Amino acid sequence: MDIDIDFIDSRKASTVTDVRLPSRKVSKQEPASFEEAITATQFGRYNIMLAFLAMLSSFCTVFDTSTMSYTFVAAHCDLELTLSDKGLLNAVTYAGMISSAVIWGFLFDVLGRRKLLIIGFILDAIFVFMSVLTQGLTLLLVSKYLQGLIINGPFAAVSAYISEFHCAKYRPIYQMLIGTSNSFSSIVLPVLAWMIMPQNLDFQLMNMNFHSWNIFLLISGLPAFLSGICFVFFPESPKFLMTCGENEKALKVFQKVYSINTGHPPETYPIKYLANETKFVKNGNGYEGTIGKQSKRQALKGGFSQLKPIFLKPHVMKLLLTSSIFLFLTMAVNMLRLWLPQIFQMMTDYQVDHDGASAPLCTMLDTSVSSPGNRTAEECFVNIGNSGIYINSIIVGATAMCGNIVAAALIRFIGKKKILLVALIFSTIFAVSMYFASTPEVAIASSSIFIAGGSVSNNVMISVAVDLFPTTLRTMAISVGMMIGRSGAMIGNFIFPYLLESGCEAPFFVVASYIFVATLLTLMIPNTDMKPLT
């Protein structure tokens, strides 16, 4: 792949010096770059508030993609679900994400972050609430598809939005914070399921039957709703405003952030002028101008011309590399992650059927898959008191969160690329070790480390993608990469039931092979540590 790695690396030393210790003191009469302006706002209360918003927003994607893992364990009798139906429910949200990836990236890069973040999260909440009305498989599939259609945009934009409020010193840490929040949401979700699913909450309303899993779905929509409301009170990204030529508005945002962080009046902000970082676009009629100075129609027309550079040198090779890594990484992690509750259910069912006796993981899975399932409504039974599913899932989520915390603490000292390689190697090793797990405890430990490594890798990759692309292509690049990755996740969840039915070897060795390919591709990534935003 023809990526100019040597050129990027050759600039690394001077870049790091400029960011950590600016070579010049910005005069009040001298225009400042974005990096200088955002550094001058300092770090304080505003960044902490933004951290809480990032944490809340990060819950939404995990909830949208993961609720089915717990829902179909409790609802398989009510909805008469087969193993392939469960794979379809896990995959359909990713199908929605794939459908909207490019258009969301285009809209956010042309029309801005804030307004579309508000609209996106509110719409996502509406579609989650729609799934609460589910009485059959069809409505649940439609609502999950629509959730994926909507949430893909806000997810990618939050990463760019948060990055554009921080200097290079804190940017990777905040991306890891989002990753830690994703892992924390993986703890919160099974806790909610454990609190709600075992309860007898069956009731009828307007000739519709509701169960505990309907209430679980209702509560899972609250983070998206609250995120949409919260973004109303936050400003547009100052980096995006500068890119659009709206330096006066950007300066007011910097002043506001500075005032909140320091407690000083906005007018005491040390920078009075901003450098021209305007990006020009052309539409089909030859119109040229800044993104922010055009009409909405002109912006939309001109914005399509922005799709072209990302598919040309030097960006196309970076896009191919990051998208390939996202493909194999996302496919592997989500194939296993979304099926862990079902695997834990199979482990518990085996122990119940064998008077509490344990066995190697593959023995338990093969026995469960090969035994005739209860498919008729009269025979179907749900063990709603199965606390092992939720406890094991909490352990997995807690391990992933700890992994992200450790990575966040080390990333400034070790660097993104080294963290990424170590995390991928650990994931590969422990994906294979699940096949050899001799007890349920070993299987849980192996799956926990695998998911932790995958979670860290995914979050570091997003941080790398943010650094590799300029502002006007950043959200688009992340969206395309995640679209490719989610294509893999969708396909993986379609085929995972068949892999389980074919034997225990296939699921774990296929997952490990995908992670290994991602590890090899990571070696080609240029080092972006401490790289200022462009």
Side-chain angles (χ1 to χ4, degrees):
M1 293 189 179
D2 187 19
I3 299 177
D4 200 356
I5 297 176
D6 292 334
F7 171 73
I8 295 173
D9 285 344
S10 69
R11 296 181 59 196
K12 178 176 178 290
S14 61
T15 297
V16 172
T17 301
D18 291 343
V19 173
R20 289 179 176 172
L21 185 60
S23 58
R24 67 184 182 94
K25 219 172 184 179
V26 182
S27 167
K28 289 186 178 181
Q29 305 304 319
E30 241 181 310
S33 67
F34 165 78
E35 202 70 42
E36 292 165 335
I38 197 64
T39 301
T41 62
Q42 303 184 35
F43 187 93
R45 289 188 291 268
Y46 185 87
N47 304 89
I48 294 172
M49 290 190 296
L50 202 60
F52 281 109
L53 179 58
M55 292 171 64
L56 180 64
S57 301
S58 66
F59 275 36
C60 304
T61 302
V62 175
F63 278 26
D64 281 355
T65 58
S66 304
T67 49
M68 287 299 99
S69 300
Y70 301 97
T71 300
F72 58 55
V73 171
H76 74 91
C77 288
D78 297 322
L79 301 179
E80 300 181 12
L81 300 177
T82 64
L83 202 61
S84 59
D85 290 335
K86 295 175 181 180
L88 185 62
L89 283 170
N90 272 340
V92 71
T93 305
Y94 291 103
M97 290 177 170
I98 295 164
S99 303
S100 64
V102 175
I103 187 63
W104 271 116
F106 159 72
L107 289 175
F108 277 109
D109 280 334
V110 173
L111 302 181
R113 298 8 175 167
R114 177 179 168 272
K115 290 181 181 178
L116 293 177
L117 279 169
I118 296 169
I119 295 170
F121 281 121
I122 294 296
L123 282 177
D124 181 57
I126 290 173
F127 293 133
V128 175
F129 297 150
M130 185 176 80
S131 70
V132 177
L133 305 177
T134 295
Q135 302 295 299
L137 181 61
T138 303
L139 179 59
L140 192 56
L141 286 171
V142 170
S143 63
K144 294 304 295 182
Y145 174 83
L146 292 174
Q147 289 171 45
L149 192 74
I150 293 298
I151 197 59
N152 190 56
F155 172 78
V158 163
S159 295
Y161 182 86
I162 297 299
S163 295
E164 292 167 3
F165 273 96
H166 293 88
C167 64
K169 178 180 179 181
Y170 297 107
R171 204 171 296 135
I173 297 175
Y174 262 70
Q175 187 56 57
M176 294 309 299
L177 172 66
I178 294 175
T180 304
S181 301
N182 287 339
S183 301
F184 182 62
S185 64
S186 298
I187 300 174
V188 173
L189 196 61
V191 169
L192 288 175
W194 195 6
M195 292 171 60
I196 297 169
M197 296 297 195
Q199 307 302 318
N200 184 13
L201 301 176
D202 298 348
F203 63 95
Q204 194 174 63
L205 182 66
M206 298 176 62
N207 296 322
M208 292 188 292
N209 296 315
F210 293 92
H211 312 278
S212 58
W213 56 267
N214 296 91
I215 306 302
F216 172 67
L217 291 176
L218 175 66
I219 293 175
S220 71
L222 293 180
F225 179 75
L226 294 175
S227 295
I229 298 300
C230 288
F231 271 108
V232 172
F233 303 99
F234 281 77
E236 180 58 273
S237 155
K239 177 61 179 176
F240 179 81
L241 292 172
M242 290 180 69
T243 300
C244 295
E246 300 284 356
N247 279 10
E248 291 184 8
K249 292 182 179 179
L251 186 58
K252 290 181 179 178
V253 174
F254 287 128
Q255 290 172 340
K256 179 180 180 180
V257 174
Y258 170 80
S259 179
I260 294 173
N261 280 342
T262 64
H264 299 151
E267 56 270 19
T268 62
Y269 178 61
I271 291 172
K272 304 302 179 184
Y273 302 97
L274 298 175
N276 182 10
E277 297 190 5
T278 303
K279 302 293 183 182
F280 288 89
V281 294
K282 290 182 179 180
N283 62 22
N285 299 321
Y287 174 87
E288 182 173 320
T290 67
I291 297 172
K293 297 295 184 182
Q294 303 175 70
S295 68
K296 297 300 182 186
R297 184 177 180 181
Q298 289 169 333
L300 288 172
K301 287 183 177 180
F304 278 110
S305 67
Q306 290 183 261
L307 299 178
K308 187 176 179 180
I310 204 170
F311 297 109
L312 299 175
K313 289 184 178 181
H315 303 303
V316 65
M317 301 312 295
K318 299 175 188 176
L319 183 67
L320 286 173
L321 179 59
T322 55
S323 296
S324 298
I325 295 173
F326 276 127
L327 171 65
F328 290 104
L329 175 60
T330 309
M331 180 186 291
V333 173
N334 287 285
M335 278 178 70
L336 194 53
R337 178 180 70 87
L338 296 179
W339 280 88
L340 280 179
Q342 184 66 48
I343 290 173
F344 295 150
Q345 176 70 61
M346 292 176 174
M347 289 164 52
T348 303
D349 288 346
Y350 178 92
Q351 290 176 319
V352 170
D353 293 339
H354 294 80
D355 299 322
S358 293
L361 176 62
C362 281
T363 301
M364 293 187 283
L365 295 185
D366 289 339
T367 302
S368 179
V369 171
S370 62
S371 61
N374 296 326
R375 288 284 155 243
T376 66
E378 293 78 11
E379 297 175 344
C380 190
F381 171 74
V382 176
N383 180 16
I384 61 174
N386 183 10
S387 60
I389 294 177
Y390 311 114
I391 294 173
N392 294 340
S393 298
I394 291 168
I395 292 171
V396 171
T399 305
M401 186 176 71
C402 291
N404 278 286
I405 292 172
V406 172
L410 296 178
I411 195 167
R412 283 181 59 198
F413 306 101
I414 298 178
K416 300 172 189 175
K417 187 172 181 178
K418 290 180 182 177
I419 288 283
L420 184 57
L421 283 170
V422 170
L424 287 170
I425 291 171
F426 268 85
S427 288
T428 304
I429 293 171
F430 284 95
V432 174
S433 71
M434 288 189 68
Y435 170 73
F436 297 102
S438 57
T439 64
E441 291 76 18
V442 174
I444 295 167
S446 298
S447 62
S448 297
I449 298 175
F450 167 80
I451 296 298
S455 176
V456 170
S457 301
N458 186 68
N459 294 310
V460 175
M461 266 307 302
I462 293 174
S463 180
V464 168
V466 165
D467 285 344
L468 284 177
F469 296 91
T471 302
T472 53
L473 300 177
R474 187 169 295 129
T475 309
M476 175 63 70
I478 296 174
S479 295
V480 170
M482 297 305 289
M483 177 188 70
I484 299 299
R486 284 161 178 161
S487 300
M490 180 187 70
I491 296 170
N493 276 282
F494 273 133
I495 67 174
F496 197 84
Y498 303 102
L499 293 176
L500 275 176
E501 291 173 350
S502 68
C504 187
E505 299 88 350
F508 303 115
F509 281 102
V510 167
V511 167
S513 66
Y514 291 156
I515 289 287
F516 182 68
V517 172
T519 306
L520 296 178
L521 291 172
T522 299
L523 296 172
M524 304 176 66
I525 294 177
N527 197 333
T528 63
D529 296 334
M530 303 299 293
K531 179 180 181 292
L533 287 181
T534 57

